[in-house]
């Protein structure tokens, strides 16, 4: 049995590797927008969207890898009752950061373990992040400094880099913010005998 990460996310694979956990990387072929569109229309909560997307990814990869244990993950940003995805361009990132200025948003990170095409464990964690008051000039300089990497995360920032300068207060687990709640995941992997106890 192999442990497989159903994600092409560089940070998720680095988190596992840095923690000493060997996992093959086999990104899922899931159209996230197609999966979530009917759920959003039906009024699903952001945490439910994150879980459904994480499970869809894990099930997709585990369905083609019999016997392997597959980790699926997804992150949703919720702000004022709306769900945000990765910004499509730098202008969208700029508008998003200015909208969050001086306010609190929530990151919901879901992780699912699947085997043989079916989920066997699910978890979602939340973190609440309050941005400091940002000026348009600062946001412009920040985006110029980080470039296209701003488009690779739902919040238009990477907390492990210059994005930390955007914040006044953070409540929640660091790994949840990075998109993979490691502590509950590792507890379940130990329970399953995949990691040493």
């Amino acid at each position: 049995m192999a442990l497989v990460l159903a994600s092409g996310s560089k940070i998720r694979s680095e988190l596992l590797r840095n923690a000493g956990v060997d996992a093959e990387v086999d990104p899922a072929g899931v159209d996230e927008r197609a999966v979530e569109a009917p759920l959003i229309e039906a009024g699903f909560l952001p945490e439910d969207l994150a879980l459904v997307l994480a499970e869809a990814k894990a099930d997709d990869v585990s369905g083609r890898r019999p016997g392997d244990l597959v980790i699926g993950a997804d992150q949703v940003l919720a702000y004022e009752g709306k769900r945000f995805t990765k910004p499509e361009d730098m202008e969208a990132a700029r508008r998003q950061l200015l909208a969050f200025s001086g306010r609190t948003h929530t990151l919901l990170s879901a992780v699912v373990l699947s085997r043989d095409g079916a989920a066997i464990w699910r978890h979602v964690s939340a973190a609440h992040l309050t941005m400091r008051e940002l000026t348009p000039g600062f946001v412009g300089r920040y985006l110029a400094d980080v470039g296209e990497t701003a488009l690779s995360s739902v919040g238009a920032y990477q907390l492990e880099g210059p994005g930390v300068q955007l914040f006044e207060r953070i409540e929640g687990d660091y790994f949840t913010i990075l998109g993979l709640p490691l502590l509950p995941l590792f507890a379940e992997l130990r329970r399953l005998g995949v990691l040493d106890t």
Side-chain angles (χ1 to χ4, degrees):
M1 177 199 81
L3 184 62
V4 182
L5 176 63
S7 172
S9 164
K10 181 181 172 188
I11 190 67
R12 288 184 181 122
S13 60
E14 281 181 4
L15 286 171
L16 291 171
R17 187 173 49 255
N18 290 344
V21 175
D22 276 334
E24 295 178 32
V25 174
D26 186 355
V30 171
D31 181 346
E32 296 180 41
R33 303 298 80 89
V35 170
E36 71 183 3
L39 305 177
I40 291 169
E41 191 173 311
F44 273 56
L45 296 172
E47 55 266 30
D48 296 327
L49 288 173
L51 275 170
V52 168
L53 290 167
E55 187 168 336
K57 294 173 186 178
D59 290 354
D60 175 66
V61 173
S62 70
R64 64 177 187 257
R65 298 188 61 129
D68 289 346
L69 187 60
V70 178
I71 303 166
D74 197 77
Q75 187 176 62
V76 170
L77 187 152
Y79 172 68
E80 293 189 347
K82 297 178 187 170
R83 186 215 30 64
F84 285 75
T85 58
K86 295 173 185 171
E88 1 180 287
D89 55 33
M90 295 301 273
E91 177 56 24
R94 185 188 72 76
R95 285 192 312 269
Q96 184 171 307
L97 290 172
L98 288 172
F100 294 164
S101 174
R103 295 186 167 91
T104 301
H105 63 271
T106 301
L107 287 175
L108 298 144
S109 290
V111 60
V112 173
L113 291 173
S114 289
R115 183 178 284 133
D116 299 321
I120 61 170
W121 178 81
R122 299 167 186 84
H123 177 83
V124 65
S125 293
H128 308 284
L129 296 89
T130 303
M131 284 197 175
R132 63 186 182 83
E133 292 286 344
L134 304 173
T135 64
F138 179 84
V139 170
R141 288 188 300 277
Y142 164 75
L143 290 172
D145 287 346
V146 300
E148 298 288 314
T149 60
L151 308 181
S152 67
S153 73
V154 295
Y157 56 81
Q158 285 74 34
L159 200 66
E160 66 277 19
V164 72
Q165 294 186 40
L166 301 169
F167 293 93
E168 176 180 296
R169 186 175 65 253
I170 295 171
E171 300 168 51
D173 178 77
Y174 181 67
F175 303 114
T176 294
I177 295 165
L178 296 185
L180 188 63
L182 287 184
L183 300 180
L185 173 62
F186 289 172
E188 181 62 14
L189 291 175
R190 282 191 295 273
R191 192 189 71 76
L192 293 171
V194 177
L195 296 181
D196 286 339
T197 57

